[in-house]
Amino acid sequence: MSLARPGPRALSRRLILSKQQFRNYAAPGEGSIPASKRKYVPTSGTYPLGFKVGTAHVGVKPSNTRFDDLALIAAEDPCSAAAVFTTNKFQAAPVTVSSEILKRRKGNGIRAVVVNSGCANAVTGKAGIEDAEAMAKKTDECFIKDNNGEDDGRGSRTLVMSTGVIGQRLPIEKITSKLPAAYFNLGGTHDHWLSAARAIMTTDTFPKLLSRTFTLPSTGDRRYHIAGMTKGAGMIHPNMATLLGIMCTDVPIDPYPLRNLLLSAVKDSFNSISIDGDTSTNDTVAILANGAAGGKVISTTDASDPDYAAMEEILTDFSIDLAQLVVRDGEGATKFVAIRVTGARSYSDAKKVANSIARSPLVKTALYGKDANWGRILCATGYAEGVRSVEPSHTTVSFVPQDGSPELKLLVRGEPETVDEERAAKILEQEDLEIRVRLDDSGGHEAEGLGDFEERKHEAVVWTCDFSHEYVTINGDYRT
């Protein structure tokens, strides 16, 4: 029996599919940063006093034969520390171990954060816990052997993070054998920090690193510093922090206010991004404060304290900028999209609507296809659960270009506009876009049952990206 020769149409379709499925993204191990992403990689930085970072090559993934995949962030003196962790019930071993370390030490005396990429050490049972504890213990030993640390009887001083494939054991002996090398390579230059940001990457296409210098009200012209690195490109949705992140500052802050500052910052930053609606098993964002720059200690959570209030604003703004880099590197993404929902009866309502739109595959694929399909945005607004602020006849949807040109209204008070498709296409050609949803567009009239519109002043912003063919390609072959 002979096989039929495919016709020209079938051959053409196969060719199109093969092109769409070709893996052309730059993942770690391939080394190259896409030209469009290079502008987000800093060429210099000003880093906090008293911190050093180092890296080493382990080869956690056998295919990685030359790129560092172990990072160590270390403080010269014990720090205050705080962290937020995933709410996923299948918490990875490093999450469990780091959480216990912080509880046991009450946020005091932390010296380091150690991170491996290539394997998440998640869903690995008791053996995974032992491996995470071994990473912490070996790091502690580096400080003790160097006469730069001591055992105070309260357990490890090292937080542990892992990222990569779920369900596989770490090559723990390879990792612990290379930890002394990472410690030996510690340094405080920009290149050291950038190398560490590279070492924690998985499907990221560029290292995400920021640093900033600032002052506080009580200390005049005394300069403080904050630096942070993060990784994440997929399995990103807010339910804590949705990635790995480490921030360090030389401001003196006690553990309790430091935790409050972090929780406040995360709400409007790492908890306001979404790439694909999946919350990881390993999500962790940690901050270390060593006080090396001196000055008054922030010891209160009272918002009337000028230093606390200033630090809250600084940390939140810094965290927003760091979190936005994750969205800009969304797996296969071509667009950076802000979803702004205004006129809600509560912040919770606004956030729920924004999240509903941000995680809609139909909205995200329409954005990728440059299709001004406002019906999908409206649909996602309408099915947002537990929201009391949505009334169709008072909902307005617009595209807001980021080039300063006027907004393009798609729907006004529940009535469709005649959309200029040519202008819509031009707006959707741009890398940055805002989708604005007004829930209080009364047209000067009160809405029955919705209360006083003067009180509907709450808004929320969630940052997301589009879905492209590459997202499927990346996640189709991620494990193998």
Side-chain angles (χ1 to χ4, degrees), residues 348-349 352-353 356 380-388:
S348 175
D349 271 11
K352 286 176 181 177
V353 171
S356 184
T381 300
Y383 65 60
E385 294 184 0
V387 174
R388 299 186 301 143

Side-chain angles (χ1 to χ4, degrees), residues 100-182:
E100 286 300 315
I101 288 171
L102 284 172
K103 287 178 183 177
R104 190 183 308 119
R105 303 198 67 88
K106 297 182 179 180
N108 279 301
I110 299 298
R111 293 294 302 272
V113 180
V114 61
V115 191
N116 77 271
S117 61
C119 177
N121 190 14
V123 198
T124 46
K126 293 181 180 179
I129 297 290
E130 293 171 358
D131 290 345
E133 290 174 342
M135 287 177 65
K137 181 180 179 182
K138 188 65 176 180
T139 305
D140 293 333
E141 289 175 358
C142 291
F143 289 99
I144 294 171
K145 288 179 180 178
D146 200 29
N147 296 318
N148 195 25
E150 59 181 17
D151 184 356
D152 62 0
R154 290 192 291 166
S156 178
R157 296 178 181 271
T158 301
L159 303 182
V160 183
M161 300 182 189
S162 297
T163 180
V165 177
I166 293 171
Q168 295 182 0
R169 286 285 304 277
L170 288 173
I172 190 61
E173 291 183 2
K174 290 175 66 176
I175 290 175
T176 53
S177 69
K178 289 299 181 69
L179 269 166

Side-chain angles (χ1 to χ4, degrees), residues 302-318:
D302 188 346
S304 65
D305 178 77
D307 282 356
Y308 182 87
M311 192 66 211
E312 184 175 33
E313 181 177 355
I314 290 163
L315 183 59
T316 298
D317 289 345
F318 183 80

Side-chain angles (χ1 to χ4, degrees), residues 222-236:
R222 186 188 299 269
R223 309 299 290 178
Y224 293 106
H225 313 83
I226 187 169
M229 65 184 75
T230 186
K231 65 79 49 189
M235 200 177 276
I236 305 292

